[in-house]
């Protein structure tokens, strides 16, 4: 099979670079192409569909987006497989930047996490602050569906359990290992509780039997940073592309797009632009 | 039920509207799957024939390996190809990852063992006297082999259909090595997965129905070829 793979590689090596005849938009300048590893929330909410064409128009860079969990995105950065990251897992990000392979890390935007559950709320968490709500879910042994995929949302969930002094486990605690959209659906079908970013929830709430039961406390902030990778992470990293993207997304034009995104469809913006703001004062 | 009906309506609307995005997804799906199937046939026909006809040490082990390869989870092949094509991997310099070429590569690797195993099985079923006969009639080895392929064409076309069916409906490897990039590597299966995770169920079902339609179309053409020749004999 390895031989087969080699033969196939030789046969198709040219096929990726020739302009496609199949009606797919061709990539005119393959050398000006960068890889963005980001979270499922930015893709599933539709934000990237809005931002990336504008970035390509402004800068000439083509972007290949890999929508994965924040943990996987950081791992791709660490291996030099991605040029720039847009992620929301601050503790893991700081650790990652401290390793030295990454370049600058800048604040881009935030939205917030919400605790969702069935409308009849058997664990009685409605209106409670997040740590107490988590404690009540655990005490009631109500079904809690975790992403379990080392994403930013999963990291936030683990922080909340720690704050609530609960070690989740047992049959009530279920882990999907999947993205937010799938996890929301599993939660809805099982009439359980879960933690979600607000953007993904809003884009899908019509198809879900889930209500926002706990929201608004500072522990539920969901902060996104852009991290540029450097050659230290790998020879083929494109720091110029990374810088172009990072500079662009914190500039006023992109920040305005971010702030406006979602208003028309959901009656409220899905993200709050934060470039240049003081992170310690977010959400106050 | 509503979702299913909406999906059907969406599928028809997508096909009729000439929506650029869906057509590019359909075109790419066909391009990748047909290319991968063609490569798998190029690799699989000679290898399968060799396994069926030649006698060499380790032949049974090789046959068992091909049969195992038929059941190899695509996601494992996807992972294998991804690691090969990573920037830091041995073939990183080709910059193939997240391109249609990478998808063709992974899918050819998925389909090749299927073709090898089915071709080997098909050729072994041809009457062993057939070759002796051909030789007695003074046919060159190439002519004899061509005649043999002709003799086994029904199961050979079945091998092509099985290979195409395996790659066109595959999602794990396509997602991994292609990255599901809009306008570049998004095929019907990965588009359906994305639509599902966005909660756009009827769109996902529409993609699924279009996929079925394509698979049916390709298999119908192959079956017509297969059966027409079968009748003509």
């Amino acid at each position: 099979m390895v031989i087969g793979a080699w033969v196939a590689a030789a046969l198709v090596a040219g096929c990726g670079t020739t302009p496609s005849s199949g009606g797919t938009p061709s990539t005119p300048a393959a050398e000006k192409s960068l890889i963005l590893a980001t979270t499922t929330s930015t893709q599933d909410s539709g934000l990237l569909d809005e931002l990336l064409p504008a970035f390509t128009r402004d800068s000439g860079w083509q972007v290949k987006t890999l929508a994965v969990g924040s943990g996987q995105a950081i791992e791709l950065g660490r291996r030099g497989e991605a040029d720039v990251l847009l992620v929301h897992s601050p503790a893991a990000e700081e650790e990652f930047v401290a390793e030295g392979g990454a370049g600058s890390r800048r604040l881009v935007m935030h939205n917030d996490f919400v605790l969702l559950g069935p409308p009849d709320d058997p664990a009685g968490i409605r209106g409670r602050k997040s740590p107490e709500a988590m404690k009540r879910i655990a005490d009631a042994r109500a079904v809690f569906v975790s992403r379990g995929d080392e994403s930013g949302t999963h990291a936030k969930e683990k922080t909340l359990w720690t704050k609530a002094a609960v070690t989740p486990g047992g049959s009530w605690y279920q882990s999907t290992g999947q993205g937010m959209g799938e996890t929301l659906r599993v939660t809805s079908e099982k009439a359980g509780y879960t933690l979600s970013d607000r953007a993904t929830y809003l884009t899908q709430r019509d198809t879900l039997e889930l209500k926002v039961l706990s929201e608004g406390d500072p522990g539920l902030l969901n902060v996104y940073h852009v991290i540029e990778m450097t050659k230290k992470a790998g020879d083929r990293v494109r720091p110029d592309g990374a810088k172009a993207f990072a500079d662009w997304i914190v500039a006023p034009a992109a920040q305005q797009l971010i702030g406006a995104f979602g208003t028309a469809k959901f009656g409220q913006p899905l993200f709050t632009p934060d470039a240049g703001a003081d992170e310690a004062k977010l959400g106050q | 039920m509503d979702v299913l009906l909406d999906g059907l309506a969406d599928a028809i609307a997508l096909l009729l509207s000439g929506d650029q995005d869906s057509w590019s997804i359909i075109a790419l799906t066909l391009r990748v799957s047909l290319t991968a199937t063609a490569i798998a046939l190029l690799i699989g026909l000679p290898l399968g024939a060799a396994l069926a006809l030649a006698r060499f040490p380790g032949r049974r082990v090789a046959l068992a390996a091909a049969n195992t390869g038929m059941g190899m989870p695509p996601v494992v092949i996807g992972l294998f190809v991804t690691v090969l094509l990573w920037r830091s991997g041995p073939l990183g310099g080709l910059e193939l990852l997240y391109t249609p070429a990478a998808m063709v590569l992974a899918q050819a690797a998925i389909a090749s063992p299927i073709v090898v195993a089915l071709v080997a099985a098909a050729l072994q079923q041809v009457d062993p006297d057939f070759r002796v006969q051909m030789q007695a009639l003074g046919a060159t080895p190439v002519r004899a082999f061509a005649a043999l392929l002709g003799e086994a064409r029904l199961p050979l076309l079945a091998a092509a259909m099985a290979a195409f069916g395996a790659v066109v409906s595959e999602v794990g490897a396509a997602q991994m090595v292609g990255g599901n990039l809009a306008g570049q590597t998004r095929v019907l299966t990965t588009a359906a997965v994305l639509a599902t995770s966005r909660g756009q169920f009827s769109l996902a079902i529409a993609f699924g129905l279009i996929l079925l339609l394509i698979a049916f179309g390709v298999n119908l053409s192959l079956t017509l070829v297969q059966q027409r020749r079968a009748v003509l004999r």
Side-chain angles (χ1 to χ4, degrees):
Chain A
M1 206 185 63
V2 177
I3 299 170
W6 275 97
V7 173
L11 282 169
V12 300
C15 140
T17 48
T18 48
S20 66
S21 54
T24 33
S26 56
T27 46
E31 62 280 1
K32 272 198 93 177
S33 157
L34 67 93
I35 294 180
L36 163 70
T38 183
T39 74
T40 53
S41 55
T42 55
Q43 181 168 65
D44 289 356
S45 65
L47 176 67
L48 289 179
D49 293 344
E50 193 104 333
L51 290 183
L52 294 183
F55 170 63
T56 302
R57 203 169 49 234
D58 292 353
S59 70
W61 282 90
Q62 298 282 336
V63 182
K64 295 184 170 184
T65 310
L66 304 177
V68 294
S70 285
Q72 194 184 339
I74 289 174
E75 190 56 36
L76 287 170
R78 183 177 279 130
R79 297 179 160 278
E81 303 298 337
D83 303 303
V84 64
L85 316 178
L86 180 61
V87 286
H88 64 128
S89 195
E93 290 165 26
E94 278 162 21
E95 207 175 292
F96 172 56
V97 170
E99 288 170 16
S104 85
R105 167 174 176 266
R106 283 181 274 177
L107 180 61
V108 175
M109 61 190 182
H110 77 270
N111 63 359
D112 61 344
F113 289 106
V114 289
L115 270 168
L116 305 171
D120 61 346
D121 188 20
I125 70 164
R126 186 172 269 119
R128 308 280 169 182
K129 294 236 184 266
S130 54
E132 197 199 338
M134 299 299 270
K135 180 108 182 47
R136 282 174 170 250
I137 293 169
D139 288 346
R141 307 184 70 73
V143 170
F144 187 94
V145 183
S146 167
R147 291 208 15 201
D149 61 353
E150 302 304 327
S151 60
T153 310
H154 186 208
K156 174 62 82 175
E157 179 212 317
K158 288 195 277 193
T159 316
L160 292 180
W161 288 122
T162 310
K163 276 192 201 159
V166 171
T167 311
S171 61
W172 61 274
Y173 185 72
Q174 306 186 358
S175 178
T176 63
Q178 297 195 71
M180 197 69 248
E182 286 80 6
T183 302
L184 284 174
R185 239 170 320 289
V186 172
T187 311
S188 179
E189 291 299 320
K190 288 179 177 274
Y193 292 86
T194 195
L195 181 72
S196 170
D197 63 289
R198 190 184 293 270
T200 309
Y201 169 68
L202 284 178
T203 53
Q204 308 203 6
R205 67 180 159 187
D206 295 346
T207 65
L208 301 168
E209 286 290 312
L210 295 173
K211 290 273 173 276
V212 173
L213 296 174
S214 170
E215 63 184 325
D217 58 277
L220 290 176
L221 261 181
N222 183 20
V223 187
Y224 290 78
H225 292 89
V226 64
I227 303 178
E228 296 167 40
M229 296 312 304
T230 67
K231 293 271 184 199
K232 282 184 209 154
D235 288 344
R236 295 204 171 84
V237 172
R238 299 192 167 130
D240 50 342
K243 185 167 185 333
F245 181 80
D247 285 348
W248 181 85
I249 201 167
V250 300
Q255 291 281 303
Q256 210 166 1
L257 282 178
I258 291 171
F261 174 70
T263 314
K265 196 165 171 199
F266 303 106
Q268 56 177 293
L270 297 187
F271 297 93
T272 308
D274 287 326
D278 179 356
E279 191 164 343
K281 291 189 180 148
L282 288 188
Q284 288 178 6
Chain B
M1 271 314 280
D2 284 358
V3 176
L4 285 177
L5 291 178
D6 288 352
L8 189 60
D10 277 6
I12 294 166
L14 280 181
L15 287 174
L16 293 182
S17 69
D19 173 52
Q20 184 61 43
D21 286 348
S22 8
W23 280 108
S24 83
I25 290 173
I26 293 169
L28 184 69
T29 305
L30 272 175
R31 192 157 66 97
V32 167
S33 302
L34 288 175
T35 313
T37 307
I39 291 171
L41 288 173
L42 280 178
I43 296 168
L45 269 176
L47 283 183
L51 281 182
L53 306 175
R55 291 292 174 268
F56 54 89
R59 176 176 160 273
R60 285 176 202 182
V61 176
L63 261 177
N67 285 327
T68 308
M70 282 178 81
M72 181 88 94
V75 75
V76 173
I77 293 177
L79 181 61
F80 178 75
V81 173
T82 306
V83 171
L84 272 184
L85 294 184
W86 257 349
R87 285 171 167 178
S88 52
L91 300 181
L94 297 176
E95 308 214 345
L96 286 181
L97 199 56
Y98 312 129
T99 65
M103 302 170 78
V104 169
L105 184 59
Q107 306 215 320
I110 290 166
S112 295
I114 298 176
V115 176
V116 172
L118 292 183
V119 165
L123 293 185
Q124 280 179 302
Q125 279 195 340
V126 176
D127 189 341
D129 291 341
F130 182 80
R131 269 207 300 172
V132 182
Q133 247 177 34
M134 290 304 291
Q135 272 161 6
L137 290 172
T140 63
V142 174
R143 287 286 302 276
F145 183 59
L148 181 67
L149 290 185
E151 196 66 12
R153 65 180 165 255
L154 292 184
L156 292 180
L157 277 169
M161 285 187 251
F164 179 78
V167 297
V168 77
S169 60
E170 192 283 323
V171 61
Q175 179 98 35
M176 229 181 229
V177 307
N180 190 28
L181 308 175
Q184 295 176 40
T185 59
R186 187 162 295 164
V187 288
L188 284 163
T189 49
T190 59
V193 168
L194 178 65
T196 304
S197 67
R198 284 178 167 179
Q200 300 165 326
F201 301 112
S202 54
L203 182 63
I205 287 174
F207 284 134
L209 290 174
I210 293 171
L211 183 65
L212 269 177
L213 208 62
I214 286 181
F216 181 73
V218 169
N219 281 310
L220 180 67
S221 342
L222 287 174
T223 307
L224 287 180
V225 171
Q226 189 190 46
Q227 296 304 316
R228 194 190 60 204
R229 293 218 182 136
V231 171
L232 279 181
R233 286 183 69 210

